[in-house]
Structure formats: C-alpha cells, structure tokens
Amino acid sequence: MTQTNSSIGIRQLLDMQKQAFIEEAAASADVRMQRIQQVIDMLVEHKEALCQAMGEDFGGRPAVFSLANDILGSLSSLKHARDHLKGWLGDSERPSVKPFDMFGATAWVKYQPKGVIGIIGTWNAPLFTLLSPLACAFAAGNRAVLKPSEIAPRTAQVLAEAVAKRFDPQVLAVVQGGPEVAAAFAEQPWNHLVFTGSTSVGKLIMAAAARNLVPVTLELGGKSPVLVGDSADIANAAERIAVGKSLNSGQLCVSPDVVWVHESRLQALADGIASQYQALYPSVTGNADMTPVINERHHARVKAYVDDAKARGLTVLEVGAAQAGADRRLPLALVINPPAEAEISRHEIFGPAVVLRSFLNIRDAVAAINAGERPLALYYFGSDETEQNWVLDNTLSGGVSINDVVMHPALEDAPFGGVGASGMGHYHGREGFLEFSHARSVYKAGNHDPRREWGMLPPYNEQFAQMLQAAVTP
Ligand code: NAD
C-alpha cells in the first residue's frame, strides 16, 4: 500500500482532520474560497504534468481531451463553487412554531459542514471524479481525503504530489492504493463518503459505510439509453450520438449504451453513426485523437462483448479496423438487436461499442427501459414536445439531455447524480453544497411563554381540551 503522506495511515489522516475540524469550528466563507482557490491554482500549475500522466495511464489519451474533461471540467466546478458559495451558506429563515411565533419565537436552518469527507474516484475521469465533488465539499466547509483509482496510477501519483505540495494534510490529503486500500478507506468513520465507480463495487462501499452509519453519495454507472423518436432528424441524431460516443472512446459513465429507434430507420441511423464516427477517426491504430482503452483487462472485456455478438451471428458494424496487438485503440462496434442473454446486453459497455435496438412504438422501448435498472443518463431525440414530455414523465434516470448526449453533467448549477442502481445523492451547484452540509434546524424561543396563562399546562382544563378539539379540522 503506497501512501502519499508516507507514514500516515488512512485512520490517522481521518482522526487528524476531524480534530482540526473541531478546533477550527466553522470555516469562514473566505477560508472556503481560499481552499478552493488552492485547488484551482494547483491544477493550473500542474496541468501539463497531469495531462501527461493521464495520457500515459491510458496509453495515448489525447492531451486536449484530458485538458477539456479533467482539467477544465474540474476547474469549472471549482470556480462555480468558489464564486457562489457566499450565496449558499447563509441561514435560511423559516416560519416558527404556532402560536409561539406571535410571542417572538423565531426559526432558521443553519447549513453546517459535516466534517471530513472521503472521496473515492475512478480511472476514466481520474481527476474530475475527485475534484468536482471536492469543490462542493470545500464550499460546504469540510476537509477531505481523496482516494484516486489505482488503474490510473501515474495520475494518482502526480495528483498526490501536487496536493502534498500545496495542502496541509489536515485540510486535504491523498491516499493511494488498490482495491484493498479502497475497501479499508470505505470502512472508516467518515462524516460522509463519496464513491464514483461501478454499481457492484458501490454495493460493497455502501455496506461498509453502513457499519459506521456514514452517509454516502454513490455516483455509479449503468446502461444509459437513447430514444430516437420518430420526429427526430436522423442525420442530426447520428452525428450527436457519434460525437458523444467518441468521447474517451465510450469510457464515460454517461456514454450512450443502447440506442432505440423505429425499425424503419434503424439502418439509416446505424449508417449515419458509422459515417460520422469514420469522419472523426479515419483510422484506429495509432490515431492520436482516439483514446485507447485504459488497460488490457478492459480492452479484452470490450472486445469479448463484441466477439460474443459476432459468435451469435448478430449484425455487428465496425467502424474501421484495429491492427491487432499494436495499441489498445478499438474501432466503434455497432451491435444490432442483441438478445437479452448476449454479453453486450448484460453489462455496461463502458468502451467503444454501442447497441442499436429497434421499436415499432416508442412506448415499447420505454417499457423495456423501465423493466431494467434506472440509468444514470437518458437521452431523447425529437421535435415532438408532447412525446418528449411523455418520455420525461414516464422514465426516471439520474439526468437527461434532449437532442444531444453527454451534455447535462456539464451543468454546473444543477445536481449531477444517479437514481436507483445508478447511484444516490449528487454534487454540483447548490445541491452539491447541501449534500455535504448538515441542514440543522434551530428554534429560538421568544421572551414570553403563553402556555400557562392559556391553560396549556397541567392541570388541564376543559377550555384547553375544547381548543384542541376545535383545531382538529380537515
Ligand atoms: P470500480 O468500481 O472498479 O472502481 C472505482 C473505485 O473503487 C476505485 O478507486 C477502486 O480502487 C475502488 N474499488 C475497486 N474494488 C473495490 C472493492 N472491492 N472495495 C472497495 N473499493 C474498491 O469502477 P471503475 O472501473 O474505476 O469505473 C467504471 C465505473 O464507474 C463505470 O460503471 C462507470 O459508469 C462508473 N462511473 C460513474 C461516474 C458517475 O459520475 N456516476 C463517473 C465515472 C465512472
């Protein structure tokens, strides 16, 4: 187990941060802003080293994508939190208890930091999944310990060094290591635990957190569907799906996984996605614009889904061809109408492949989506507003983009999170601030207490009983 604060164990870090939190009492708005600014400055200073590390971890992820997704994506969350937290952290006045409010009793909700937040990230967005939640955790006045994914070890190391250079570990620290370290991390009595990762590991994390009654934010994955309505422009939908699917070679939690379209337009959509993808990536192997699959295991996993589909005799359209063994870049594979038992139907794809399914009536597609787990993202293409609203009313997912894919997680002032099997809780914006705050109700009594003179205290009289009876109204 490697750790950045070499001799300091996870529990020691947590205890140290908890103690410092108690001693600090409430971090002022300025202190919170300054901590967020330190993360911003750290990213600006180390952006090249971080992008290089991400490039190496993926075996050739384009630096522009790392810059856009992980550096600018994190900066966007951090700057939004920095610039808005003053407006979030004030007390919220509430109506007080009747009839005491007539005698000066007041009430408010005070948003207080929970304390120390543990944040476990993924390899696919190795900075964003740590630093975007951190923005809200810091805005809410907390301290934090980060656990990057061991599958992107160079990025984890550069981040750990950069954090150690800028931060007192009492405020922010990084713990590195594999699944065993992550499991030990999840067992600690954090004041809140954020986990981004797969649904299966998410269940282990929640079980571990439950032993200490640690509240969790689970940012999980799943099979995000796209519904291409009959009113959609096929060429436009094909282009946007191809562009969204191309990002990080499909290794995104909100990447389109299953695309539903009317039977009569399936071929046109498949051809459209293929030609758009081909235009983005005229070649596969060695194409510096294409993100490779992160490692051999995931490369074999995605390939196995596609090989299984081929072995079943399904229609599989591959956009380009990879030179075997040269690098881990894979062509996009479109798999048409696989049965439920096919490997590609049973797992989140999380790579450069996508399923196309046909419907005769969009209601059948919605019924099939609703029969499965609730997805992280759902996409609808079409100009028919009645149908669009029907789809929104009759499905549930973490978030939605309409007439595009993968866009809603970029909304800084709207919660980002899953529902059901795709997770619980959220970050971004004020909702993220609230996630990492305790909403503490405060009642303050007025100077005068009318209970005795109103006969509200024992010995009870008939008049009080009648007053209560009269208050029981529909
Ligand atoms: P993963 O679940 O394998 O790993 C995530 C983290 O969990 C890593 O830090 C790892 O060290 C840790 N971990 C692994 N095994 C563990 C165990 N037994 N106990 C405790 N911790 C353990 O996920 P991944 O492969 O890194 O990421 C892919 C998944 O993450 C996909 O399902 C994707 O959809 C999801 N994801 C979700 C979001 C989101 O915001 N909702 C973002 C990115 C990725």
Side-chain angles (χ1 to χ4, degrees):
M1 152 173 168
T2 41
Q3 286 180 10
T4 307
N5 307 80
S6 50
S7 59
I8 310 180
I10 305 169
R11 185 53 189 262
Q12 282 164 290
L13 273 173
L14 170 58
D15 288 346
M16 188 173 74
Q17 289 205 0
K18 276 188 172 173
Q19 189 54 37
F21 175 78
I22 291 166
E23 281 163 20
E24 181 182 42
S28 67
D30 286 343
V31 166
R32 299 177 194 202
M33 287 164 73
Q34 181 213 327
R35 286 176 183 162
I36 294 173
Q37 189 61 46
Q38 268 179 283
V39 186
I40 294 171
D41 294 344
M42 177 187 82
L43 281 174
V44 171
E45 182 187 342
H46 297 280
K47 62 179 190 301
E48 267 109 27
L50 286 163
C51 287
Q52 186 174 339
M54 285 184 268
E56 287 169 9
D57 281 333
F58 277 84
R61 189 204 218 195
V64 283
F65 183 77
S66 292
L67 207 51
N69 191 71
D70 282 274
I71 304 288
L72 288 167
S74 301
L75 283 176
S76 171
S77 300
L78 289 156
K79 289 179 182 175
H80 184 84
R82 177 196 64 191
D83 297 344
H84 291 84
L85 73 88
K86 276 193 174 157
W88 296 336
L89 51 76
D91 296 343
S92 163
E93 264 188 56
R94 301 297 168 96
S96 194
V97 181
K98 289 180 194 313
F100 303 94
D101 54 348
M102 295 194 304
F103 300 93
T106 55
W108 64 96
V109 175
K110 184 174 174 58
Y111 299 100
Q112 289 186 261
K114 290 185 173 180
V116 181
I117 316 287
I119 305 178
I120 304 178
T122 54
W123 53 264
N124 72 310
L127 293 181
F128 182 83
T129 56
L130 296 169
L131 302 183
S132 185
L134 178 66
C136 293
F138 270 177
N142 301 283
R143 288 151 191 264
V145 181
L146 311 176
K147 156 63 184 82
S149 168
E150 69 283 0
I151 293 178
R154 294 171 190 83
T155 311
Q157 183 60 27
V158 176
L159 176 70
E161 284 166 13
V163 166
K165 219 172 114 186
R166 281 201 179 254
F167 281 92
D168 182 337
Q170 292 187 354
V171 174
L172 181 67
V174 178
V175 170
Q176 295 186 72
E180 68 296 344
V181 173
F185 194 94
E187 282 166 9
Q188 305 303 317
W190 304 102
N191 299 118
H192 191 110
L193 180 61
V194 183
F195 170 79
T196 303
S198 56
T199 300
S200 57
V201 177
K203 289 177 184 173
L204 302 176
I205 297 289
M206 191 165 172
R211 287 195 279 277
N212 294 308
L213 291 181
V214 172
V216 289
T217 302
L218 299 178
E219 299 282 345
L220 311 178
K223 293 182 82 62
S224 294
V226 184
L227 288 159
V228 180
D230 295 347
S231 62
D233 178 312
I234 283 289
N236 179 268
E239 181 178 9
R240 291 180 182 186
I241 292 167
V243 168
K245 189 72 215 180
S246 77
L247 298 173
N248 218 25
S249 278
Q251 301 167 105
L252 277 191
C253 54
V254 287
S255 191
D257 193 292
V258 182
V259 183
W260 290 88
V261 64
H262 191 275
E263 190 180 64
S264 63
R265 307 210 295 168
L266 185 132
Q267 192 62 48
L269 184 65
D271 292 345
I273 294 173
S275 72
Q276 290 291 343
Y277 207 84
Q278 178 84 43
L280 294 170
Y281 304 117
S283 65
V284 177
T285 304
N287 187 333
D289 289 338
M290 182 186 276
T291 301
V293 178
I294 181 90
N295 60 21
E296 288 303 330
R297 181 168 68 84
H298 283 283
H299 185 265
R301 180 183 62 78
V302 178
K303 230 177 141 294
Y305 299 162
V306 178
D307 289 346
D308 171 73
K310 287 179 187 165
R312 289 170 186 275
L314 302 172
T315 304
V316 178
L317 190 62
E318 280 178 297
V319 188
Q323 197 184 313
D327 62 19
R328 290 190 304 274
R329 293 183 175 87
L330 279 176
L332 178 70
L334 295 114
V335 178
I336 314 295
N337 281 325
E341 61 278 13
E343 291 296 321
I344 202 160
S345 309
R346 295 175 51 230
H347 306 279
E348 177 183 357
I349 300 169
F350 213 60
V354 65
V355 165
L356 263 68
R357 291 195 183 282
S358 53
F359 60 72
L360 288 173
N361 187 320
I362 197 167
R363 286 172 183 260
D364 298 332
V366 166
I369 291 166
N370 285 337
E373 301 285 18
R374 285 174 169 166
L376 183 60
L378 183 140
Y379 305 115
Y380 172 75
F381 282 88
S383 57
D384 178 344
E385 279 210 23
T386 307
E387 183 177 83
Q388 168 199 303
N389 292 332
W390 182 85
V391 167
L392 288 178
D393 286 344
N394 286 278
T395 56
L396 200 59
S397 62
V400 179
S401 296
I402 296 166
N403 289 328
D404 211 335
V405 297
V406 189
M407 292 302 278
H408 62 272
L411 297 168
E412 283 307 338
D413 197 13
F416 173 55
V419 59
S422 58
M424 61 184 70
H426 36 242
Y427 53 87
H428 282 184
R430 180 166 159 80
E431 282 84 355
F433 164 83
L434 293 174
E435 180 88 352
F436 303 122
S437 300
H438 173 62
R440 191 181 191 194
S441 295
V442 184
Y443 169 83
K444 185 175 180 188
N447 290 332
H448 182 68
D449 183 346
R451 277 176 287 201
R452 191 163 302 282
E453 67 211 47
W454 285 11
M456 292 165 77
L457 300 178
Y460 296 122
N461 57 35
E462 189 48 32
Q463 190 193 352
F464 178 49
Q466 279 173 10
M467 195 174 92
L468 291 185
Q469 288 289 355
V472 182
T473 55

